[in-house]
Amino acid sequence: MKRLLLVLALVGASGVVWAGFRRQSAAFCSPLFNTNWYEMTNNRGLISRGLGDQRFFCPVLDDSKFGRNTLTFVNVHVNDTNAGPGRSVTASACIQFFGSFGLACGTSSGTPSGTGTATLTPSVSQWTSFTAEFAYLEITVCPDCQVYGYFPGT
């Protein structure tokens, strides 16, 4: 009975923050500049197939139950298979300004060349600092590398 009362007290308390995450497939992503070829497959994710790096825009869903201003992390699951010099997969958590031209990105996270499967954890500071703006991930993918998906959470 004491446990039930404790749970009811916690649920009824003001300021309780919902904790969790929202997994999103790389299928949500779109190319920023379609200068290189890419493909989306059901078993390998988003793959860059061009000769150069491909940049992708990946939206972050933001609603009243899971507001991005409450997020404390984002994980981006990638596979860096390109061992070429200077080749890597990088991710940045960014915002697009509302009412004015421009954007801002937090500190990016990246892989060393040829790392293989990795989890990138870019800083979400811009998402929590600019509460009226629109959040997204900017992911740069080297040739023959993949992005499987991402999940922001609290």
Side-chain angles (χ1 to χ4, degrees), residues 2 11 37 39 57 59 61 63 108:
K2 288 182 182 180
V11 170
W37 192 76
E39 67 180 275
F57 165 90
L61 302 178
D63 54 40
S108 64

Side-chain angles (χ1 to χ4, degrees), residues 4-144:
L4 177 61
L5 290 175
L6 177 60
V7 169
L8 290 174
L10 288 174
V11 170
S14 63
V16 173
V17 176
W18 183 79
F21 61 88
R22 177 178 280 144
R23 292 176 61 91
Q24 293 177 243
S25 166
F28 277 88
C29 303
S30 299
L32 282 174
F33 302 104
N34 199 9
T35 57
N36 295 310
W37 192 76
Y38 67 96
E39 67 180 275
M40 183 71 206
T41 65
N42 61 353
N43 63 339
R44 292 182 62 204
L46 185 75
I47 305 169
S48 176
R49 292 289 191 202
L51 297 176
D53 292 348
Q54 178 76 49
R55 291 171 54 206
F56 293 93
F57 165 90
C58 305
V60 174
L61 302 178
D62 186 7
D63 54 40
S64 60
K65 182 165 183 164
F66 198 65
R68 57 123 178 120
N69 60 328
T70 65
L71 300 176
T72 58
F73 71 90
V74 62
N75 291 337
V76 182
H77 294 275
V78 303
N79 188 10
D80 182 350
T81 57
N82 191 326
R87 298 294 191 191
S88 65
V89 180
T90 60
S92 298
C94 305
I95 55 103
Q96 172 66 49
F97 291 119
F98 170 72
S100 65
F101 183 75
L103 58 92
C105 296
T107 304
S108 64
S109 177
T111 60
S113 296
T115 302
T117 303
T119 300
L120 306 181
T121 55
S123 168
V124 297
S125 62
Q126 301 298 334
W127 292 353
T128 56
S129 297
F130 297 95
T131 57
E133 316 307 342
F134 296 94
Y136 67 96
L137 284 169
E138 184 175 310
I139 304 174
T140 302
V141 184
C142 58
D144 294 321

